[in-house]
Amino acid sequence: MTCSNFENYSASLCVGIKPVVLKGATTDNFSMRLELYDDASNNPVFPNATFVISVTKNEYDSNLKDMPFLSGIFNTRNGRFTININNSETQKINPLGETIMTGLNSTVRTDQVNLTLPLELNSGQYRFQTMAYVKNREPLYFDSDLQVGDIESKDIVLNKTVNNLTIISYYDKIADLDFDSNRRTISWQMPFEYNASKINMKKVNVHQEIVIPDSFLNVTYTDSFNMTVNDDYFNSSYFYVDPYSLRNKTVIHYVPDTNTLFDMSYNNSTKYNHIMKFVLFL
């Protein structure tokens, strides 16, 4: 979950989306969780809080229009609730009958709201603009950005042997996943918002995972790795190799820090036009 604070009052709102990564970059069954905390009180709960929520699917390119995704008013018992969205023909029913809804104006008597809506969650960035109304307090405004990632797999052939390669992006949709047997490289790219302000505020996390079968690494005689991002080699301290967590597989993590992302945003925002490119050398 991502948490943000209200500047003029000791309150914070934590927002989350599940699943955080999508296989194939889309799903029609997902949930959104909101939790409001009173940071100035020994009792952190805000009773009978009302939320006015607007969720937008952000486009990084200023020439494209951000897309409205979900909006509504939710009256809660304790300032914490989950919106479960299912795009199937049969709506999930709360067996206790404790959620009263009229469209997207809902009174949440438990902490669950179940909705059947023609919505698909896609990989990318979502902006939550939330106004919270609580008793004897001024309205609380929160602005939060969340990333929904992607999982992509590809069968690669080398020496007449087929192996399955998996890339996991915790930031956005994976595109152009490819293995070049001549260069011995694995490459892919994803959309990226080169926004120095957000990066400087530590609101951006670019975590990529590459899952490679050990049998494939044995065939290629690979015992070390190198990698470029946007055609530049990066600091190897942000590159982690984990041969133990998954049986018969090696997981490679790329997690650049804020300074690296800030430099990339400053130097590459025009050249790469909202795209981040990765090449792993075996």
Side-chain angles (χ1 to χ4, degrees):
M1 300 183 76
T2 297
C3 299
S4 55
N5 300 102
F6 183 69
E7 295 180 356
N8 299 324
Y9 184 73
S10 297
S12 57
L13 179 70
C14 297
V15 180
I17 297 178
K18 287 186 177 180
V20 295
V21 292
L22 308 176
K23 188 174 180 61
T26 186
T27 183
D28 59 6
N29 192 344
F30 58 96
S31 65
M32 297 181 290
R33 176 77 177 173
L34 291 88
E35 298 179 354
L36 181 64
Y37 292 93
D38 186 351
D39 299 332
S41 172
N42 292 328
N43 181 10
V45 173
F46 280 108
N48 303 316
T50 296
F51 293 83
V52 180
I53 302 171
S54 175
V55 184
T56 305
K57 177 70 164 57
N58 286 357
E59 298 293 344
Y60 310 136
D61 190 335
S62 59
N63 294 322
L64 300 176
K65 185 178 180 180
D66 294 342
M67 300 298 295
F69 185 71
L70 177 72
S71 61
I73 302 172
F74 300 87
N75 305 304
T76 69
R77 181 179 58 181
N78 60 9
R80 304 173 191 177
F81 68 105
T82 300
I83 306 170
N84 300 305
I85 297 177
N86 180 14
N87 194 14
S88 65
E89 294 182 1
T90 304
Q91 180 176 355
K92 294 181 178 179
I93 302 298
N94 186 337
L96 299 179
E98 293 186 338
T99 299
I100 302 173
M101 295 178 297
T102 303
L104 291 184
N105 294 310
S106 304
T107 297
V108 187
R109 292 180 179 170
T110 64
D111 68 344
Q112 303 288 320
V113 177
N114 297 323
L115 301 175
T116 297
L117 295 171
L119 288 178
E120 284 189 345
L121 181 72
N122 297 311
S123 298
Q125 184 181 99
Y126 291 83
R127 183 182 186 187
F128 283 71
Q129 294 176 294
T130 306
M131 187 76 75
Y133 295 90
V134 298
K135 186 177 180 180
N136 299 325
R137 297 288 189 273
E138 62 181 289
L140 309 175
Y141 177 77
F142 301 92
D143 197 343
S144 310
D145 289 333
L146 279 80
Q147 299 295 147
V148 178
D150 185 20
I151 304 173
E152 295 292 336
S153 295
K154 182 183 182 70
D155 287 335
I156 53 180
V157 179
L158 186 66
N159 295 343
K160 299 181 180 180
T161 302
V162 179
N163 290 275
N164 185 263
L165 169 72
T166 298
I167 305 292
I168 303 172
S169 169
Y170 292 92
Y171 187 84
D172 207 316
K173 182 179 180 179
I174 297 164
D176 298 336
L177 175 58
D178 185 57
F179 170 66
D180 188 325
S181 59
N182 294 322
R183 297 179 60 208
R184 290 171 45 126
T185 59
I186 298 168
S187 60
W188 70 100
Q189 64 183 37
M190 69 174 187
F192 183 73
E193 182 183 23
Y194 290 98
N195 187 318
S197 297
K198 287 184 179 180
I199 293 171
N200 196 42
M201 295 171 66
K202 299 184 178 180
K203 291 185 175 182
V204 180
N205 179 28
V206 177
H207 182 181
Q208 308 288 296
E209 291 183 8
I210 308 98
V211 183
I212 306 176
D214 291 338
S215 58
F216 176 78
L217 297 179
N218 293 335
V219 170
T220 57
Y221 302 101
T222 301
D223 56 8
S224 63
F225 304 93
N226 210 335
M227 189 170 178
T228 61
V229 180
N230 291 350
D231 300 323
D232 291 326
Y233 288 94
F234 63 90
N235 191 323
S236 60
S237 64
Y238 311 131
F239 191 60
Y240 307 97
V241 179
D242 174 12
Y244 305 111
S245 295
L246 298 179
R247 184 178 180 183
N248 299 325
K249 293 181 180 180
T250 294
V251 183
I252 303 167
H253 300 266
Y254 171 59
V255 189
D257 68 356
T258 298
N259 290 335
T260 300
L261 292 174
F262 187 86
D263 290 343
M264 292 173 63
S265 181
Y266 183 79
N267 295 322
N268 298 326
S269 59
T270 302
K271 179 179 178 181
Y272 287 95
N273 192 26
H274 309 286
I275 292 293
M276 184 175 284
K277 298 181 179 180
F278 305 87
V279 179
L280 177 68
F281 294 85
L282 303 176

